Amino acid sequence: MLKLLVCIKQVPMVTELPWDAATGSLKRYMAEGMMNPACKHALEAAVQIKSLYGAHITVLSMGPPAAEEVLREALAMGADRGVLLTDPRMAGADTLITSHTLAMAIRKQCPDFDLILCGSCTSDSETAQVGPQIAEALDIAGAAYAAHIAIEGRTVQVQRECDDFLETLEMEMPALVTIATTGHHPRYASLPGLQNAFECGDIAVLDADAIGLEPGTSGMKASPTRILDVYTPTAGKTNVILKGAAPKMAQTLFERFGDRLSGAMAKDLKTHEHDDFHDESDDE
Amino acid sequence: MTKVTMNNDNRSIWVFGDYRNYFQNRVTLQLLARARELAPRIGAAVCAVIFGNHVDEYIREYIAHGAQTVYVCDHPRLKTYAVETFTTLTARLVMRYEPEIFLIGATDFGREFAPRAAKRLKTGLTADCVGLDINETGLLVQTAPSFGGNLIARIITPEARPQMATVRPGTFPERPHDDQATGQVIAIPFPEDIPCDRVRLVHSERKPPREQRIEDARIVICGGRGMGSRTKFKKLFEMARLMGAEVGATRPVVYSRWAEHDSLVGQAGKHVHPQVLFSFGVSGAIQHTAAIHDADLIIAVNKNPHAAIMKMADVAIVADASQFCSALIRELRKRIRE
Ligand SMILES: Cc1cc2nc3c(=O)[nH]c(=O)nc-3n(C[C@H](O)[C@H](O)[C@H](O)COP(=O)(O)OP(=O)(O)OC[C@H]3O[C@@H](n4cnc5c(N)ncnc54)[C@H](O)[C@@H]3O)c2cc1C
């Protein structure tokens, strides 16, 4: 049976940003977590492979203890086993060190994998680097941004868009593929499924020692990059508010911003003459 | 083959030569330009590296656009982009010549290749930078957005080398083409021991081009669910035709098929940076606004004055989106001098 491994990250549900200006870090405890969208697509791809060819799916996540929730959700969607790496010593890792940690865990927990699937990108840090770096760490074939994935024998075929090209790639397993958010429609976890996953799902919680991480090779300390500072790009906008009848506002818009509009349109506009308007009702 | 003696006193900034899609994608030239601005501050030379087959014309282009040295590996095995081979070649060259800084355009390929190269070299990599600078200690300060552009982080790589970053296309202007510029070309023989890529490219075709790409449009008109219906949404196309603009859409609009999927603007779709962005009936969810921050002027129409989009707009028009669109089209027809 195929052994699939899906890497999943819990990301904050960002409707507003709980950013702590004093400590310069994200108040993750305030942000409600969700499964990173691209990871959900990767999991969906895995579940589809499972239903087509039969497979065993391990989901792996590194994160705070609360990340267990997304692993349980993954079990409810069709994964068989969850592994959570959680340890303060792993916190604050950049992509180089994150990929090292995940690769170590894969070697320990699932050394006989056939195919690793990752989300192509996370919605918080958006680097798209961890997937390719795990492939590099494990010295296996890897392809990014897959929209579709098919398996024949030991061959994985991937279709993807890459810089204005539509590409079909093939590689032999073991391999790693990162999944874009274009080709799959992630299923919803059913309520009974969720209940079951939360009651008796198989989840192992491991720390740095359990996966054999050497001291000083994990977390922020080991990471080659340093964050100097973080800020919000709040542009001091002069916000003009227009209210009233639509035709009148359309006129005002041209009177006040006609120069910018005509510049962008590369066309001359009459900005100061206007006829009387007729308030026509909206057409359907 | 050119024999090269290594000289470690020669500090250098390298730019990866990403020449595929040359006419649309100028990011390599943009990076060469920025590298030339930064280089004097650390006493470095600017070098391009290029892997391919029959790439002489790109070598000339890179020199004309600021490269002082071009390392080139030209070999039939390199006639298509291949991540593993490029990674191995890069790692060997970097270990040999030890550049201080290595910049890669944040194209799809760049963003797949750079992490592998950084991993092989055990160095840091900052993704999709929108700013690069040198600080007082001579380190590269890499400015990168996260959370869909809602947070900006400044990142350094204090010790590991090279300092690596992928950089978003369009971040820096390129230098004018200089025919007179001269540069050194260093040919790197293709190392025959490099194994074949485990990933095989079995088919590749160019995506059918859109007439004008929304990413390049000077005016973008985004419509959201607040346009009301597919019929009303069509008005935006009429407005776009009059203005020479491109129409973008939010996710619910794309899902309801009022617009094509490739017009999706947002985290899951296109990033736009027009001079003027119109937004009709869009609430301003972060996954959408992440991709419109770069617009110079945002004109938002929403019946709810408290919608998030109205706060980020330069001009907030409180109105029914479809009605205002009709009014705007009438006004435009009157004002355009034919
Ligand atoms: C992981 C993830 C990725 C996503 N990626 C994207 C993405 O790439 N792009 C994207 O767009 N979305 C994306 N979304 C969805 C996003 O969160 C929002 O749901 C979406 O942008 C909302 O679209 P909308 O503004 O058209 O609709 P709504 O949020 O429903 O807003 C409609 C707006 O129209 C106004 N309105 C209603 N009627 C009228 C009227 N008659 N006249 C004027 N105004 C009116 C309302 O006041 C409201 O502000 C993503 C979501 C997730 C979770």
Side-chain angles (χ1 to χ4, degrees), chain A residues 124 126 133 136 139 145 160-161 163-164 166 168 170 172 226 228 231 239-240 242 270 282 284, chain B residues 108 111-112 115 120 147 152 154 156 198 200 202-203 205 207 232 235 286 313-314 316 335:
Chain A
D124 52 358
E126 305 183 303
Q133 293 195 324
E136 191 62 36
D139 191 18
Y145 328 113
R160 67 169 188 181
E161 279 186 39
D163 294 323
D164 287 337
L166 302 171
T168 307
E170 280 182 4
E172 306 306 311
R226 290 272 173 287
L228 280 178
Y231 54 95
N239 189 275
V240 177
L242 301 181
K270 302 178 216 168
D282 192 37
E284 180 62 17
Chain B
D108 290 340
R111 294 192 66 178
E112 185 181 17
R120 192 82 63 93
F147 285 102
I152 307 279
R154 295 196 313 145
I156 52 169
R198 284 171 289 198
R200 303 179 292 272
V202 292
H203 183 75
E205 66 187 87
K207 268 195 296 189
K232 291 178 179 171
K235 291 179 195 173
I286 194 168
D314 302 274
R335 288 174 186 269

Side-chain angles (χ1 to χ4, degrees), chain A residues 14-218:
Chain A
V14 276
T15 34
E16 66 184 70
L17 285 167
W19 183 257
D20 188 334
T23 65
S25 63
L26 190 73
K27 297 186 208 162
R28 286 205 187 262
Y29 58 89
M30 269 183 62
E32 212 185 322
M34 62 171 190
M35 195 187 299
N36 176 52
C39 297
K40 208 174 220 178
H41 284 74
L43 178 60
E44 176 61 36
V47 175
Q48 287 180 16
I49 290 170
K50 177 177 171 178
S51 61
L52 280 173
Y53 314 101
H56 179 275
I57 304 176
T58 301
V59 282
L60 170 66
S61 186
M62 177 178 93
E68 192 178 320
E69 279 173 32
V70 296
L71 290 179
R72 297 216 181 259
E73 184 186 352
L75 295 184
M77 283 174 67
D80 300 291
R81 179 172 76 116
V83 177
L84 176 65
L85 308 176
T86 187
D87 191 320
R89 285 172 287 176
M90 298 175 188
D94 68 3
T95 66
L96 187 83
I97 295 303
T98 299
S99 59
H100 173 68
T101 308
L102 291 171
M104 288 291 284
I106 293 168
R107 283 207 196 92
K108 258 271 167 17
Q109 287 290 312
C110 198
D112 52 348
F113 68 88
D114 296 297
L115 182 62
I116 300 174
L117 299 177
C118 300
S120 60
C121 189
T122 57
S123 61
D124 52 358
S125 49
E126 305 183 303
T127 70
Q129 290 172 187
V130 171
Q133 293 195 324
I134 295 175
E136 191 62 36
L138 295 170
D139 191 18
I140 54 173
Y145 328 113
H148 298 285
I149 180 166
I151 291 174
E152 212 185 302
R154 296 291 299 165
T155 307
V156 185
Q157 190 183 73
V158 160
Q159 286 178 339
R160 67 169 188 181
E161 279 186 39
C162 184
D163 294 323
D164 287 337
F165 292 87
L166 302 171
E167 296 182 338
T168 307
L169 307 172
E170 280 182 4
M171 68 208 99
E172 306 306 311
M173 293 191 269
L176 181 148
V177 177
T178 78
I179 306 288
T181 51
T182 46
H184 297 87
H185 295 286
R187 66 198 63 204
Y188 287 99
S190 70
L191 269 182
L194 276 172
Q195 205 166 4
N196 194 42
F198 274 87
E199 277 163 11
C200 50
D202 172 8
I203 293 197
V205 180
L206 305 176
D207 65 7
D209 302 323
I211 56 167
L213 278 181
E214 300 285 326
T217 62
S218 66

Side-chain angles (χ1 to χ4, degrees), chain A residues 13 34-38 123 181, chain B residues 223-228 232 249-253 264-270 280-289 291 301-305 307-309 317 319-323:
Chain A
M13 215 182 277
M34 62 171 190
M35 195 187 299
N36 176 52
S123 61
T181 51
Chain B
R225 188 168 11 210
M227 276 306 285
K232 291 178 179 171
T250 63
R251 197 168 72 168
V253 163
L264 177 66
V265 171
Q267 172 194 310
K270 304 281 164 56
F280 285 89
V282 171
S283 60
I286 194 168
Q287 295 87 356
H288 174 74
T289 56
V301 188
N302 198 301
K303 67 175 185 193
N304 174 8
I309 190 87
I317 297 174
D320 177 273
S322 162
Q323 268 176 23

